[in-house]
Amino acid sequence: MRSLWLWFSLAFVVILFSFWPTTLGRFGPPDALRIVHGGFAVTWMVLLIVQSWLIGRGHRRTHRWLGRTSLVIVPGLIVTAGLVVMDSLPNGGAAHFPRHLLLLNEIAILALFALS
């Protein structure tokens, strides 16, 4: 478990690489909603990395203290994710995918994230 932070770091690099075209690449720059959502997502991933590093080194008090910030980060991430999905539906964000399935999929993912 001491190296869990490395796996979260690897996941973060993959996520950054995946979202690069829609942020700073050929599809960017994003609008304000997606910038705020991206800020919450980056903060969440950094929190996962730092907390796993802290607990692996025995810094339980700091780990718990930082964990309390998730009480602000997670609701912000969920709300902005929902808004991004709702914003993408009328604009045909995923035109190749049936909209009702996209909406159900996103609601299920957000509910599972919120409940975990």
Side-chain angles (χ1 to χ4, degrees), residues 56-116:
R57 303 299 182 277
H59 301 286
R60 286 174 170 54
R61 180 175 286 169
T62 308
H63 167 85
R64 282 190 297 254
W65 181 80
L66 275 178
R68 291 185 183 114
T69 63
S70 67
L71 296 173
V72 174
I73 296 167
V74 170
L77 184 58
I78 291 170
V79 168
T80 57
L83 291 173
V84 167
V85 169
M86 297 308 287
D87 183 58
S88 297
L89 288 177
N91 298 330
H96 60 281
F97 200 73
R99 291 178 187 203
H100 66 284
L101 292 179
L102 176 66
L103 187 59
L104 287 174
N105 181 51
E106 291 298 324
I107 289 171
I109 289 171
L110 290 175
L112 287 172
F113 180 71
L115 294 173
S116 65

Side-chain angles (χ1 to χ4, degrees), residues 9-98:
S9 298
L10 177 63
F12 189 42
V13 169
V14 170
I15 290 167
L16 288 175
F17 181 76
S18 300
F19 281 98
W20 185 263
T22 59
T23 54
L24 299 173
R26 62 180 180 208
F27 299 116
D31 59 358
L33 173 61
R34 284 160 181 80
I35 290 172
V36 171
H37 175 66
F40 278 118
V42 167
T43 305
W44 174 252
M45 286 303 298
V46 170
L47 182 65
L48 288 176
I49 294 166
V50 172
Q51 277 196 289
S52 61
W53 184 86
L54 286 168
I55 202 69
R57 303 299 182 277
H59 301 286
R60 286 174 170 54
R61 180 175 286 169
T62 308
H63 167 85
R64 282 190 297 254
W65 181 80
L66 275 178
R68 291 185 183 114
T69 63
S70 67
L71 296 173
V72 174
I73 296 167
V74 170
L77 184 58
I78 291 170
V79 168
T80 57
L83 291 173
V84 167
V85 169
M86 297 308 287
D87 183 58
S88 297
L89 288 177
N91 298 330
H96 60 281
F97 200 73

